[in-house]
């Protein structure tokens, strides 16, 4: 059974579907599904260090069910997400100097070539948990580029469908 979420941002016109990679990153995909099952919009902005990425850091305290994040392992890991991939990083409270006093579940929307997870504290890895469906890819790139030009925004994640193969 394939599961899909929809990612929206009004001002940029971003409105795309992503297939969850339950077989490759079950825990990270479950966290995205939980996030999409709760109504709400989440702060996001173009990333500074990683290249073509829209970063949506969701504080653990604001996550719909923080228990979903407990003990989350790295799955389908990479430091070089490809265009169209959605990678998640769970940064535990206090893991890096200067972090807020909460866990942070970062959802990275990678929309172009040359992305890398090189941060000020060094190389990190993310779990590739979803992929934009091919028919939405051009709209995805255009929406992410508009967010880059517009500045900060609020992303909305919505459960789209479960499809039996």
């Amino acid at each position: 059974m394939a599961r899909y979420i929809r990612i929206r941002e009004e001002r940029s016109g971003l409105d795309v579907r992503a297939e969850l990679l339950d077989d490759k990153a079950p825990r990270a995909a479950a966290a995205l599904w939980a996030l999409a099952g709760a109504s709400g919009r989440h702060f996001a902005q173009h990333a500074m260090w990683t290249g073509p990425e829209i970063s949506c850091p969701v504080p653990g305290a604001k996550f719909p069910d923080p228990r979903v994040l407990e003990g989350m392992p790295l799955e389908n890991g990479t430091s070089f997400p490809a265009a169209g991939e959605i990678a998640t990083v769970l940064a535990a409270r206090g893991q890096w100097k200067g972090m807020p006093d909460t866990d942070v579940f970062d959802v990275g929307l990678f929309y172009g070539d040359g992305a890398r997870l090189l941060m000020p504290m060094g190389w990190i890895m993310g779990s590739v948990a979803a992929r934009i469906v091919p028919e939405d890819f051009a709209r995805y790139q255009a929406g992410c580029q508009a967010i880059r030009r517009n500045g900060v925004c609020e992303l909305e994640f919505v459960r789209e469908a479960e499809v039996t193969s």
Side-chain angles (χ1 to χ4, degrees), residues 16 18 21 33-34 54 64 66 81 83 85 89 93 105 114-115 122 126 135 137 143-144 148 158 161 165:
V16 297
L21 303 178
W33 188 252
I54 304 302
E85 291 183 335
V89 173
R93 169 190 358 243
F105 181 72
E135 58 270 25
F137 185 72
C144 289
R148 181 178 184 183
V158 179
S165 323

Side-chain angles (χ1 to χ4, degrees), residues 3 20-35 63 65-76 88-90 103 105 107 127-130:
R3 296 189 299 173
L20 297 178
L21 303 178
D22 288 303
D23 56 332
K24 296 180 180 176
R27 293 281 309 275
L32 286 174
W33 188 252
L35 188 63
F63 201 80
D65 182 359
R67 294 172 299 179
V68 172
L69 304 178
E70 290 175 6
M72 182 173 290
L74 177 68
E75 306 169 306
N76 199 25
T88 65
V89 173
L90 179 61
D103 295 340
F105 181 72
V107 180
S127 297
V128 178

Side-chain angles (χ1 to χ4, degrees), residues 37-56:
S39 61
R41 296 174 192 266
H42 305 278
F43 167 85
Q45 66 183 6
H46 197 276
M48 179 185 296
W49 302 98
T50 56
E53 178 202 3
I54 304 302
S55 173
C56 181

Side-chain angles (χ1 to χ4, degrees), residues 19-20 25 31 40 51 70 97 106 152-154:
E19 181 178 359
L20 297 178
E70 290 175 6
K97 179 181 172 184
D106 189 78
V152 299
C153 67
E154 291 184 324

